[in-house]
Amino acid sequence: MSARLFKKFLKEQELLQPQKDPHIKDENDDDEEEEEEHVNSGSSINPFDLLNDGDHVSDQDDELETSEDIVLGAGDKQDPQELKGTSNSVSRSSHKSKKKKKKKNKEGACESTHKDEKSLDAILEALSLDVKTSALPRAPEKAKAVNTKLHDSLAKPPAASILEVDPKYLNAENELRRIFGSKVVKSFEKSNQTGPGSSRQVRGGRRGGYIPRKTVLVTASEHWPRWDGSFSMEFLEVKDGYHYFRYVHSSSYAQAQRAFEAAKAIHDLNGIASILLYNPYHLDSLLTMADYFKFAGEQQMSAESISKCLYALECAWHPLFTPFQGNCQVKFNDEKNKPMFTTLFAHMKNMDKRGCHRSALEVCKLLLSLDSDDPMGAKFYIDYLSLRADEYAWLERFSEDYQSDSSLWLFPNFSFSLAVCRFYLEKQESEEGTHALTAKSSSTELMKQALMLHPSVLKKLIEKVPLKDQAWTGIVKDALFRAEEVGIPSLDHLINIYVETNYLIWRLPDLQKLLRDAAQQIVETLKRDSSEAKDWACVRKEAFSSEKNEYRHLLVSDFSHSTPTLPPENLQPFMVDPRMMEGMHNEGLAANANEVLRAPPRDVTNRNALAVLFESMLPWVHYGDANGAGEDGDNLMNGNGQGNEEH
């Protein structure tokens, strides 16, 4: 557009505008001026940029001129002043729309917060928590306090608070460092890693680049297989403040379980070993191999199999499963949950044998808290671990708080262990010079009550420890301590378990003196008046009124500190659950294991040669003759170059 046409356009616009009195100002003049300034300042195109340096009209000017004519033609129907008004209205509307959007965003945020609060209210109502959301404080400290209270009310039932587990004491290596020092433990670990298999395992771990998952119960080794997720844990319900869970098997694990049952039916240990090649975390197979290594004398390999079981069990835990707080239940009645109890009990025994009594105590707490019925008899082992770990005050609190009654002192293990516990607490108070004024009985009184309630314990302790002082011969001749059995099946069985578990404690001279003094005082008292013994007999019969052995599922050999060893070819005890074997006494199980479980030599005369060939591959099959050729054959089948024991 040329300068001439632009000037002509401006003159025409001036003629079209109505004349105004310069002395009279409209009310909206100021607003229009401000709007014009806003439009001019906000416009991105300057109309004077369309002007050229001269009056020369170029081709580009012609193109712009034609486009301008089109715009003017369309604007003949609308006044340019109206166009300016529309532009102003558009700018105002856009400004208002932005404000509306901001208000809407604020309102939407408020609505979202209200929705979040409503959803929180619904969740709290679903959990049946008596909490008023209107009274919830908005300060972070108050909110944190409320959350901790809610968590405590859900996760810490008062009856199970005594069984809370401290995870920092679960690591046996840390306890060994506290006992022997870190230098001794490091040197021992280096000596174990210098074997021929250690370098291969480390190189294999580096090739795979596999970092095992961190767990609390055990520390996984780098050469262990990767967790395959073959089983998991599911949440069942919340009842009486306890969260109930159970393990669930996948299809691959169920198939491995069927293969294990088939191998168990024919006593095929090689078949069980082959199951672990494809299912490295099959629990029953690992437990079977752990028993095999234990009876074969390979304690380290047995402990490693148990650790693999614990690693797999912990990897399968549910996110809501918090067993260290004592508020979770995994019932032993479910077949899929039983390996967890068996594994924890074996791990507890391994920690005890290594001298890590505090770690074993924490595992025993965990085992006892998982099932209130105590299927493994953990409460008959927890007193021994508490005394070995010097947890005397905790043992007294446990006897008072567990199951909200104080009836535990009626059991043989607690009646004697509480007397020992009080003896050491009195000794600590005398050394520190602080004598607490408590209404509790003294250690001597507690020991006298234990001997009057369970008199048959004394004679068994004298034989088991053994106690060789001449004073014991006169004490045992008394009528109260003469009998070896009380005549109550349940009580006699529990006494055998106690003596087998706690006899090591009574080798200390101080405790022997305490026991001897209490027994002598009882003998002197009964010489004057024997009616007290009858009263305690009535208490004993009332506490254990059942005529059947209620604890026959607990084997005395399971609570023993000695490990019976058997020849590797005698594999029946690893394939058959000893609790299912009827007609076998618990006391003679370990002593007569070689005679009961040893299979006689088989005769190969008049038999199919192919059947004999396949049968000879089974490791427990024994072919012998009168010249002792079978012994040499067994030695060759072992592959270790070691002779067997005499048959």
Side-chain angles (χ1 to χ4, degrees):
M1 183 177 182
S2 61
R4 294 192 303 273
L5 292 176
F6 184 74
K7 291 178 180 180
K8 183 178 179 181
F9 173 74
L10 292 178
K11 289 180 180 180
E12 291 178 355
Q13 294 297 325
E14 290 177 357
L15 294 175
L16 291 175
Q17 290 180 357
Q19 298 294 326
K20 291 185 179 181
D21 190 357
H23 299 285
I24 300 173
K25 289 186 178 181
D26 195 2
E27 294 178 356
N28 298 328
D29 286 346
D30 297 335
D31 297 336
E32 291 178 357
E33 290 175 0
E34 291 178 357
E35 290 174 2
E36 288 175 1
E37 290 177 358
H38 177 72
V39 171
N40 293 332
S41 62
S43 60
S44 60
I45 300 175
N46 190 357
F48 291 97
D49 292 338
L50 299 175
L51 299 177
N52 294 326
D53 293 336
D55 294 336
H56 179 71
V57 181
S58 62
D59 297 335
Q60 186 177 2
D61 293 336
D62 294 335
E63 293 177 359
L64 292 171
E65 197 172 69
T66 54
S67 62
E68 187 71 22
D69 292 339
I70 294 173
V71 173
L72 289 174
D76 291 339
K77 299 179 182 179
Q78 188 176 4
D79 200 316
Q81 188 69 23
E82 295 178 359
L83 290 174
K84 186 186 293 185
T86 56
S87 64
N88 294 335
S89 64
V90 169
S91 64
R92 289 178 182 176
S93 62
S94 63
H95 185 65
K96 290 180 180 179
S97 64
K98 290 180 180 179
K99 290 183 178 180
K100 290 181 180 179
K101 287 181 180 179
K102 291 180 180 179
K103 291 181 180 179
K104 288 181 179 179
N105 292 332
K106 291 181 180 179
E107 293 176 358
C110 295
E111 291 177 359
S112 63
T113 55
H114 289 304
K115 289 181 180 179
D116 293 338
E117 292 178 358
K118 291 180 181 179
S119 62
L120 179 60
D121 296 343
I123 293 172
L124 293 176
E125 290 178 0
L127 291 174
S128 67
L129 297 175
D130 298 333
V131 180
K132 295 180 180 180
T133 55
S134 60
L136 286 176
R138 295 185 179 181
E141 296 180 356
K142 295 182 179 179
K144 186 177 180 180
V146 171
N147 292 332
T148 54
K149 289 182 179 179
L150 294 177
H151 184 270
D152 293 341
S153 62
L154 276 176
K156 296 182 180 179
S161 59
I162 194 65
L163 292 177
E164 290 183 2
V165 178
D166 195 346
K168 68 180 180 181
Y169 291 109
L170 287 172
N171 194 342
E173 282 72 17
N174 293 338
E175 185 171 1
L176 290 175
R177 291 186 180 94
R178 289 193 297 268
I179 297 173
F180 302 103
S182 59
K183 294 182 179 180
V184 177
V185 175
K186 287 181 180 179
S187 62
F188 179 76
E189 291 176 352
K190 289 181 180 179
S191 63
N192 288 338
Q193 291 177 359
T194 55
S198 60
S199 60
R200 177 181 57 83
Q201 292 170 357
V202 171
R203 287 199 300 270
R206 290 177 179 175
R207 278 200 303 269
Y210 163 61
I211 300 176
R213 185 185 302 182
K214 291 184 179 180
T215 53
V216 181
L217 293 175
V218 293
T219 302
S221 300
E222 295 181 357
H223 65 276
W224 286 4
R226 187 187 299 271
W227 163 239
D228 54 0
S230 55
F231 59 92
S232 60
M233 178 182 282
E234 68 175 0
F235 172 73
L236 296 178
E237 60 178 351
V238 178
K239 185 178 179 182
D240 298 332
Y242 292 94
H243 300 252
Y244 287 81
F245 298 86
R246 70 175 179 183
Y247 281 97
V248 180
H249 295 169
S250 64
S251 58
S252 60
Y253 192 93
Q255 184 177 0
Q257 185 67 25
R258 290 192 294 269
F260 171 79
E261 296 295 338
K264 180 180 177 180
I266 62 174
H267 309 291
D268 185 8
L269 189 67
N270 294 328
I272 292 177
S274 64
I275 292 173
L276 293 175
L277 294 176
Y278 301 98
N279 300 274
Y281 291 108
H282 184 258
L283 300 178
D284 289 332
S285 298
L286 286 173
L287 291 173
T288 302
M289 298 305 297
D291 287 340
Y292 171 78
F293 291 134
K294 179 179 67 175
F295 281 88
E298 298 289 342
Q299 299 297 329
Q300 186 175 359
M301 298 182 68
S302 176
E304 185 176 3
S305 299
I306 295 297
S307 299
K308 285 183 180 179
C309 290
L310 286 175
Y311 175 71
L313 288 167
E314 187 173 350
C315 287
W317 282 358
H318 194 273
L320 297 178
F321 186 64
T322 55
F324 301 144
Q325 298 178 2
N327 65 334
C328 297
Q329 290 284 297
V330 182
K331 285 300 180 181
F332 183 78
N333 297 332
D334 195 337
E335 290 291 334
K336 298 176 183 177
N337 297 333
K338 289 182 179 181
M340 183 176 189
F341 292 87
T342 308
T343 304
L344 286 174
F345 191 85
H347 183 61
M348 176 186 68
K349 294 293 295 293
N350 291 335
M351 295 297 101
D352 182 25
K353 291 178 181 178
R354 296 178 63 183
C356 303
H357 304 297
R358 184 59 192 275
S359 300
L361 176 60
E362 299 300 324
V363 176
C364 190
K365 291 181 187 178
L366 176 61
L367 182 61
L368 186 58
S369 66
L370 289 178
D371 195 342
S372 57
D373 298 331
D374 190 19
M376 303 300 296
K379 64 184 175 184
F380 303 118
Y381 207 88
I382 197 169
D383 61 305
Y384 166 77
L385 296 175
S386 301
L387 294 177
R388 295 300 301 268
D390 299 338
E391 292 292 324
Y392 309 119
W394 181 87
L395 182 58
E396 282 192 346
R397 289 192 295 108
F398 173 77
S399 63
E400 297 172 358
D401 298 343
Y402 182 66
Q403 294 182 350
S404 300
D405 58 4
S406 58
S407 61
L408 284 177
W409 70 274
L410 295 173
F411 292 103
N413 59 323
F414 280 98
S415 61
F416 284 91
S417 296
L418 289 176
V420 175
C421 181
R422 174 49 50 187
F423 172 77
Y424 282 112
L425 289 176
E426 291 174 354
K427 189 175 181 180
Q428 289 179 359
E429 292 174 359
S430 63
E431 291 176 355
E432 295 174 359
T434 58
H435 297 280
L437 297 176
T438 59
K440 295 181 179 179
S441 302
S442 63
S443 58
T444 305
E445 292 296 328
L446 291 176
M447 185 60 68
K448 289 168 62 177
Q449 293 177 8
L451 289 172
M452 294 292 289
L453 185 60
H454 308 292
S456 62
V457 173
L458 183 61
K459 190 172 184 179
K460 292 186 177 182
L461 281 177
I462 293 173
E463 296 176 355
K464 184 70 176 178
V465 174
L467 301 176
K468 298 180 180 180
D469 193 354
Q470 295 180 356
W472 295 111
T473 57
I475 294 173
V476 175
K477 291 179 181 180
D478 189 79
L480 181 64
F481 303 114
R482 192 180 303 167
E484 294 184 358
E485 293 184 355
V486 181
I488 302 174
S490 298
L491 184 56
D492 289 332
H493 187 67
L494 292 179
I495 289 174
N496 293 331
I497 290 177
Y498 169 72
V499 173
E500 190 68 29
T501 306
N502 291 262
Y503 76 94
L504 294 174
I505 295 176
W506 296 102
R507 292 182 175 179
L508 299 175
D510 294 340
L511 295 181
Q512 292 180 10
K513 184 178 182 301
L514 174 66
L515 184 63
R516 184 176 62 251
D517 293 343
Q520 288 176 351
Q521 293 179 15
I522 290 175
V523 171
E524 294 176 359
T525 303
L526 292 179
K527 288 179 180 179
R528 296 189 300 267
D529 185 10
S530 61
S531 62
E532 188 175 357
K534 297 179 181 179
D535 296 337
W536 284 103
C538 294
V539 175
R540 185 166 54 246
K541 291 181 180 179
E542 186 177 355
F544 301 92
S545 58
S546 178
E547 297 180 357
K548 297 181 179 179
N549 186 3
E550 298 177 351
Y551 303 98
R552 61 183 179 273
H553 61 282
L554 302 177
L555 299 181
V556 179
S557 60
D558 291 340
F559 294 84
S560 177
H561 299 288
S562 60
T563 303
T565 57
L566 295 175
E569 67 272 11
N570 293 334
L571 305 175
Q572 280 82 356
F574 317 118
M575 310 305 299
V576 180
D577 189 357
R579 295 174 179 81
M580 303 299 294
M581 300 173 65
E582 298 181 356
M584 184 176 295
H585 297 286
N586 293 322
E587 296 179 1
L589 179 63
N592 300 326
N594 290 333
E595 298 179 3
V596 174
L597 300 174
R598 183 180 296 278
R602 302 194 181 192
D603 191 8
V604 296
T605 58
N606 299 327
R607 293 187 60 189
N608 189 357
L610 185 60
V612 173
L613 176 62
F614 284 105
E615 192 178 48
S616 64
M617 296 179 183
L618 300 177
W620 61 84
V621 175
H622 171 53
Y623 295 100
D625 53 14
N627 297 327
E631 274 190 79
D632 298 334
D634 287 342
N635 294 337
L636 293 175
M637 289 175 63
N638 289 337
N640 297 326
Q642 298 177 355
N644 296 326
E645 297 179 2
E646 293 183 4
H647 295 277

